[in-house]
Amino acid sequence: MKKTSTRLADGRELLYYDSRDDAVRDAVDPRPLDPVATTSQIRCDPLLGDRVAVASHRQARTYHPPADECPLCPSRDGRHSEIPAASYDVAVFENRFPSLAGDAGRCEVVCFTSDHDASFADLTEEQAGLVLEAWTDRTAELAGLPGVRQVFCFENRGAEIGVTLGHPHGQIYAYPFVTPRTDLMLRSVAAHLARTGRNLFDDVVARERAEGARVVLEGEHWVAFVPYAAHWPYEVHLYPKRRVRDLRELGDAARTEFPQVYLELLRRFDRIFGPGEPPTPYISAWHQAPFGPSDFAPEFALHLELFTVRRTSGKLKFLAGSESGMNVFINDVPPETAAARLREVASE
Ligand SMILES: [Zn+2]
């Protein structure tokens, strides 16, 4: 893998991750872009204790690509996108309209391939492995920025999730605080450790493997299951069998096997609702331990949570009164049924 760091015309960082070690990345961004002006502000809710990123600059965009011109495609035929090269393997750049910026964090866009019409599930194992290398490198680098407490790599896929760019891409948020979900998990880990002397993640994974009813697939180094109390109609959690805190600590064997396991999961997701159904919208989210002072971060387990908001053919799960008003999820698909379906649609 070769990594090349460059700058876009407005000073934002652009990185190429190439599978070829002799790749040359010297294309210059010729666009007359104004410097990025961001005004992200993190506000704390006094009742809930959580934070809201207020990013008014996202409403006042100075650079509007025409709807028929994808900003994530390579620059070709006199058309200039966010990526000056004529093709690329994996490209990462700072979001021009970030939700978090400056002292309030950093947002990056990860382009998985220069093929506009592909999806992650269409990538080869080599390409998916390169994306894993990029996620790992970004985690290591962003962890070193002052004030960053947590790095979140994720993909929103499908218009149903609110994605407006069809080009296969994900995002990375570097938060200047520990997110509420991670904080909750760490509290559960602390309580479990005090009660039993054991690691909660280890016990959860061991229980799922022993019961088996919700296991979706198991490799030599990874196991995927629908959690006992899944929130979403189809939800899969993927864990490396050897517990590590974050992507940086993932061993070579687990790294090598990851593309095969993850691509299979994504392909099964597209088959859940049967042939002829449009691609399954999903959110894929890496959970990693926070950085900096934290008593229980060493007990955290890196894992990926993959879920869809589609509950049946043509119908979406909405976060309505109970979910949005009270944080109580109602799931119409029993986790054991979801797991059985995800085993049924395995690749031949
Ligand atoms: Zn594109």
Side-chain angles (χ1 to χ4, degrees):
M1 189 272 279
K2 182 179 178 189
K3 171 187 172 187
T4 311
S5 172
T6 66
R7 293 275 167 188
L8 293 171
D10 55 11
R12 286 174 296 137
E13 192 173 13
L14 163 69
L15 301 120
Y16 295 98
Y17 294 87
D18 285 287
S19 50
R20 287 170 53 123
D21 287 331
D22 60 353
V24 175
R25 298 298 181 185
D26 55 5
V28 173
D29 180 9
R31 299 171 298 170
L33 296 181
D34 293 329
V36 180
T38 53
T39 53
S40 292
Q41 198 182 45
I42 305 285
R43 296 192 181 180
C44 191
D45 182 306
L47 297 181
L48 296 175
D50 64 356
R51 295 169 178 85
V52 178
V54 181
S56 58
H57 57 270
R58 284 167 66 83
Q59 296 280 37
R61 301 179 183 194
T62 51
Y63 170 62
H64 282 281
D68 62 336
E69 295 200 350
C70 173
L72 309 186
C73 274
S75 294
R76 279 186 198 133
D77 309 323
R79 198 182 70 76
H80 301 294
S81 71
E82 290 281 64
I83 300 156
S87 77
Y88 59 83
D89 290 347
V90 172
V92 178
F93 60 86
E94 286 180 71
N95 197 325
R96 183 153 168 84
F97 304 101
S99 309
L100 311 167
D103 293 340
R106 173 157 157 158
C107 291
E108 299 184 340
V109 176
V110 183
C111 302
F112 300 140
T113 165
S114 58
D115 179 358
H116 183 88
D117 296 316
S119 69
F120 200 114
D122 297 325
L123 300 183
T124 63
E125 287 185 18
E126 188 192 17
Q127 287 176 305
L130 193 60
V131 175
L132 177 64
E133 290 307 308
W135 283 330
T136 306
D137 179 74
R138 299 321 300 148
T139 299
E141 199 150 301
L142 293 169
L145 291 184
V148 168
R149 294 295 311 279
Q150 206 179 336
V151 172
F152 177 42
C153 308
F154 64 101
E155 180 189 1
N156 296 331
R157 194 270 192 115
E160 296 92 333
I161 307 281
V163 179
T164 51
L165 297 173
H167 198 108
H169 72 287
Q171 301 181 67
I172 301 176
Y173 278 22
Y175 298 99
F177 51 82
V178 179
T179 62
R181 275 178 78 87
T182 304
D183 189 51
L184 274 177
M185 286 186 207
L186 288 173
R187 282 168 200 261
S188 302
V189 163
H192 189 80
L193 190 66
R195 198 169 61 242
T196 67
R198 292 193 309 272
N199 180 282
L200 176 60
F201 289 106
D202 291 350
D203 281 2
V204 165
V205 174
R207 172 183 163 179
E208 292 298 345
R209 291 179 70 194
E211 289 186 14
R214 288 175 298 276
V215 171
V216 171
L217 68 82
E218 185 158 356
E220 196 180 334
H221 303 284
W222 294 85
V223 59
F225 55 85
V226 179
Y228 173 71
H231 289 61
W232 298 93
Y234 293 89
E235 173 177 343
V236 171
H237 293 189
L238 175 64
Y239 281 79
K241 289 185 182 174
R242 184 177 72 82
R243 173 163 51 87
V244 294
R245 291 165 59 156
D246 58 45
L247 288 166
R248 298 174 300 177
E249 294 183 348
L250 206 53
D252 286 342
R255 243 171 234 295
T256 304
E257 193 185 59
F258 173 78
Q260 185 192 327
V261 170
Y262 185 52
L263 289 170
E264 170 65 11
L265 279 180
L266 293 182
R267 287 164 189 168
R268 289 190 196 185
F269 255 57
D270 276 342
R271 296 185 201 120
I272 292 173
F273 304 102
E277 197 69 15
T280 301
Y282 64 75
I283 292 173
S284 175
W286 278 111
H287 288 257
Q288 311 200 72
F291 316 115
S294 169
D295 289 345
F296 296 97
E299 301 287 325
F300 196 85
L302 166 77
H303 66 282
L304 184 140
E305 298 189 6
L306 171 68
F307 57 90
T308 179
V309 298
R310 186 178 288 162
R311 56 187 171 84
T312 186
S313 177
K315 294 196 178 77
L316 298 182
K317 163 75 187 168
F318 289 105
L319 299 189
S322 187
E323 292 86 358
S324 295
M326 284 290 140
N327 282 4
V328 179
F329 272 68
I330 316 292
N331 183 359
D332 297 339
V333 182
E336 294 73 21
T337 306
R341 180 61 182 156
L342 284 161
R343 288 192 297 267
E344 200 172 84
V345 295
S347 302
E348 313 242 307

